[in-house]
Amino acid sequence: MTSRVHGPGAHGPEVRGTGAARLPTARGAADEPPGASGAPALSGGTAGPAALEPLLRTVLAALAEGAGRRGGPVPATTPGELAAHVAEEFAAASGGEALHRLTKLLAYGGADPADPSCAAHLHCPPLAVAVAADLAVSALNPSQDSWDQAPAATELETLLLDELARLVGYGDEAAGVPTSGGTESNLMGLMLARDRVLGRASGRRVELGGVPRSGPRPRVFASAAAHFSVRRAAALLGLGEDAVVPVAVDHGLRMDPDALAGALKRCVDGGELPVAVVATAGTTDTGAVDPLRACAEAAAEAGAWLHVDAAYGGGALLSDRLAPLLDGVELADSVSLDWHKLGWQPVAAGAFLVRRAETYASLARRAAYLNPRDDEEAGYPSLLGLSLRTTRRADAFPMAVTLRALGRAGLGRLVDACHDLALAGAAAVRAHPRLELHHDPVLTAFLFRYLPASGPEDPGRVDRINAALRRRLLRAGRAVVGRTELPGEGPGRVRLKLTLLNPYATPADVERLLDAVAAAGRAEEEEAP
């Protein structure tokens, strides 16, 4: 849809030479140009695009200036120095200069995931088309809690969720909703598991009466490498973090199916209630994918709900090469997906899906001011009962635009490019005399560590050097490298991590990054013999 702007000043105020723009204002009298009335302008309506145009030029200029000043993946500074600089700039920014000054600060002081040396986290560089679509959402500001706030966005969200459900392998009876990410999606999965399984066992509606104080203790099973949000969700749902049973993993941090079967059997034999099994498709550290089909069989035998946390690994479904890794995901009762990881969307771009819409029943709500029954009977749909949130941004729109613009094949090529990059990086680690690879990459991430000249004989010292070299790189603005610890106890578990989500980075970029890691390790080794 295009908007026409009539009258003088339709293109808005021009940009100052400094890159800052005067704040455009709302239309006053019919013969006045924008800004004559003195009121700040709005982003919507027929005049909204003209009001936004000079401000966007300001933002783009400031982004370029800030990134140029940064000159790398992060600014070369310390936390204290950056805090002081931010406070100074915040105090100095005012009036029409505020947008330019603070945007330039944001770009200078950011960790830029588009830089090949920014490779620590599941923090992707978003595609320009997705960011442009996100701007449209911000300008129009639809809210998904009622049809009359977001007519077209409501329909687009429904169509997108249908497509994502088919990507997972679900049928027409599936349902779902965009979420803020894996944490919210995992909470929803465990909430529905609690309501269905515990409700069935207790003969009561848990969402109304709460978790029963008597009867078998509810248990949730997740691998020792599962995301911490599983425990957090158990706490929020009244089950308690201690209800989560960690299941042993192999060297690649995949859940051991025999260990899961044994843990479920001990649970049932001990008079406890297995409520859910949480299988991970793409752990945050290594991208490991649990054996989903075996997990589904074990969960079904125990009468437990199967939730698959595919926040990271769900992106593999876009790739013909990697999709087989998620064999069995279609058997899950619920699934978490995040497209702000291997989907190149701006945050937030999560999705939660259930195999059968009927299992959503405990979330259904009726609010007369949002979804009155007579409106629904008249054909006005409501998405209120699909989400934990009421006011909800139209985050499905950038995802829908990207999927239509690139298609699954286009996005799959980006996934494959990042996978190839991880394979090349792992090969470079294996060839480096001072670096040690933990495990071959499954998706786009791998763990490794720097080994001092003396070798791994003093594991505590090796841990300290690896932790310190990462901070050295940050202070110098050279690189953003991840840091984690392997499961277990004692020293020798610290590992560095590269999470490669930039499909336009090259193997040479990764080799330069690894050389920087080794140089920082040698410097730390010399300072802390």
Side-chain angles (χ1 to χ4, degrees), residues 182-183 186 222-232 278 280 283-284 309:
T183 295
N186 291 344
S223 85
H227 196 264
F228 66 85
S229 62
V230 174
R231 288 188 176 276
R232 178 183 286 175
V278 179
T280 305
T283 57
T284 53
D309 177 4

Side-chain angles (χ1 to χ4, degrees), residues 280 325 419:
T280 305
L325 290 171
H419 183 235

Side-chain angles (χ1 to χ4, degrees), residues 122-353:
L122 286 164
H123 176 203
C124 74
L127 292 165
V129 67
V131 173
D134 199 65
L135 169 64
V137 172
S138 293
L140 296 170
N141 208 31
S143 180
Q144 300 293 107
D145 48 318
S146 65
W147 186 93
D148 57 2
Q149 297 177 80
T154 297
E155 301 302 330
L156 281 169
E157 177 178 306
T158 302
L159 291 171
L160 175 72
L161 269 294
D162 287 346
E163 193 153 336
L164 295 183
R166 290 194 296 273
L167 184 67
V168 167
Y170 284 168
D172 293 339
E173 66 279 10
V177 70
T179 67
S180 59
T183 295
E184 181 184 348
S185 297
N186 291 344
L187 175 63
M188 292 182 71
L190 288 185
M191 182 190 70
L192 296 183
R194 179 200 66 178
D195 295 347
R196 298 286 293 188
V197 179
L198 191 53
R200 183 173 63 238
S202 64
R204 59 189 294 182
R205 293 184 61 183
V206 177
E207 71 273 19
L208 297 182
V211 176
R213 296 184 179 182
S214 59
R217 182 180 183 183
R219 289 289 197 176
V220 174
F221 298 82
S223 85
H227 196 264
F228 66 85
S229 62
V230 174
R231 288 188 176 276
R232 178 183 286 175
L236 290 172
L237 293 169
L239 304 176
E241 290 196 28
D242 289 344
V244 179
V245 178
V247 180
V249 295
D250 61 18
H251 181 70
L253 304 188
R254 298 172 74 247
M255 186 190 291
D256 182 337
D258 292 334
L260 173 63
L264 286 167
K265 184 177 186 304
R266 287 190 296 274
C267 172
V268 174
D269 291 347
E272 297 178 328
L273 178 67
V275 169
V277 172
V278 179
T280 305
T283 57
T284 53
D285 282 343
T286 65
V289 178
D290 290 338
L292 303 183
R293 191 168 292 278
C295 290
E297 293 171 358
E301 185 174 347
W305 178 284
L306 176 65
H307 174 71
V308 173
D309 177 4
Y312 175 20
L317 296 170
L318 300 167
S319 161
D320 290 340
R321 178 200 304 175
L322 297 179
L325 290 171
L326 270 70
D327 173 57
V329 68
E330 71 279 2
L331 302 175
D333 294 291
S334 57
V335 177
S336 301
L337 301 171
D338 274 7
W339 300 118
H340 53 240
K341 294 181 172 68
L342 277 177
W344 297 280
Q345 299 295 296
V347 174
F352 173 74
L353 298 167

Side-chain angles (χ1 to χ4, degrees), residues 13-40:
E14 63 185 55
V15 179
R16 297 179 183 176
T18 61
R22 298 195 307 268
L23 288 173
T25 54
R27 294 299 300 270
D31 58 348
E32 292 179 337
S37 65

Side-chain angles (χ1 to χ4, degrees), residues 321 412-422 502-505:
R321 178 200 304 175
R413 284 191 290 271
L414 300 183
V415 173
D416 288 344
C418 291
H419 183 235
D420 288 340
L421 200 62
N502 183 344
Y504 300 111

